[in-house]
Amino acid sequence: PVVVVATIAVYRAGVTATAMARESLVDPLTGLANRVHFRQVLDDRLADGHAAWSQVAVLLIDLDRFKEVNDTLGHQHGDQVLTELGQRLQEWLSEQNSVIARLGGDEMAIVSDHLADLLALNSLCSSISQVIARPLQVDGIALELSASIGVALFPEHGQTSHDLLRCADIAMHQAKRERRKFVIYQRASDNYTP
């Protein structure tokens, strides 16, 4: 009996540790990867040779006027929008060998490493905008969303996940200011880097 109890305790501890490890990498609201997991995936893609044969792109997505959704319909409906939109994007991106994560609030990030050229990148960004623009139903209300997307490319814009996310963030804010669907980072537009 003592051996059985000890075995069960060790098994439960292993199951609990596995569940905790998974939870530490997943956004609890959307089920998408979280910021920590996204950084790990991005670091792995930069290190494992994918970068040697194709460009790695980091896309930072911020929903436009999402505060209005929360203020008008309530945060529970805003959460529902984020969850449904996250799942929609994840399903579509799985065919693109891309990974999506929710970084926090209404900000999501994508890493993609199967882009042959800028035409393919433009096509990816346009397609993501179209996926986001498809109406969502929330309590019988059809919502049409849009987003601002900032893009940074390895190796042109940065050598590390930190640098790429920073450059994508700068480009995303530029897209938001200029009311464009997406902007590719340009050093000349970066007022934050010495």
Side-chain angles (χ1 to χ4, degrees):
V2 173
V3 173
V4 172
V5 171
T7 303
I8 291 172
V10 169
Y11 172 76
R12 284 187 180 159
V15 169
T16 302
T18 301
M20 288 174 60
R22 183 189 181 304
E23 287 175 10
S24 72
L25 299 176
V26 174
D27 174 60
L29 176 65
T30 62
L32 299 175
N34 64 14
R35 180 182 297 272
V36 171
H37 189 205
F38 183 80
R39 293 284 294 263
Q40 290 173 352
V41 168
L42 180 54
D43 286 339
D44 289 346
R45 293 214 181 172
L46 295 177
D48 76 357
H50 277 52
W53 57 268
S54 68
Q55 256 180 346
V56 175
V58 174
L59 290 73
L60 201 58
I61 301 169
D62 188 74
L63 297 177
D64 297 331
R65 300 177 317 279
F66 188 72
K67 183 180 183 315
E68 294 174 19
V69 173
N70 281 332
D71 290 349
T72 306
L73 301 176
H75 288 274
Q76 73 278 11
H77 291 96
D79 290 350
Q80 183 182 347
V81 168
L82 290 173
T83 300
E84 289 184 32
L85 182 60
Q87 295 310 311
R88 179 188 290 180
L89 285 166
Q90 186 172 43
E91 287 171 18
W92 184 80
L93 287 165
S94 67
E95 299 170 12
Q96 315 299 316
N97 193 37
S98 299
V99 174
I100 184 169
R102 177 173 176 242
L103 302 185
D106 64 328
E107 193 172 80
M108 298 182 189
I110 296 170
V111 61
S112 181
D113 60 5
H114 280 80
L115 301 168
D117 53 28
L118 285 179
L119 186 62
L121 177 61
N122 287 335
S123 177
L124 176 66
C125 291
S126 293
S127 295
I128 290 169
S129 293
Q130 290 171 3
V131 170
I132 291 170
R134 289 195 333 241
L136 278 169
Q137 290 289 326
V138 177
D139 269 358
I141 300 169
L143 297 177
E144 294 182 13
L145 303 173
S146 63
S148 301
I149 304 171
V151 181
L153 301 171
F154 173 89
E156 293 95 315
H157 305 137
Q159 301 293 313
T160 67
S161 59
H162 173 78
D163 290 343
L164 291 168
L165 282 165
R166 185 185 61 76
C167 291
D169 186 59
I170 290 167
M172 184 269 299
H173 284 288
Q174 182 181 353
K176 205 169 262 309
R177 273 192 317 276
E178 296 175 3
R179 297 181 183 201
R180 294 169 54 191
K181 291 184 180 185
F182 66 93
V183 168
I184 299 170
Y185 174 81
Q186 297 172 12
R187 178 71 174 91
S189 300
D190 182 354
N191 298 324
Y192 304 100
T193 303

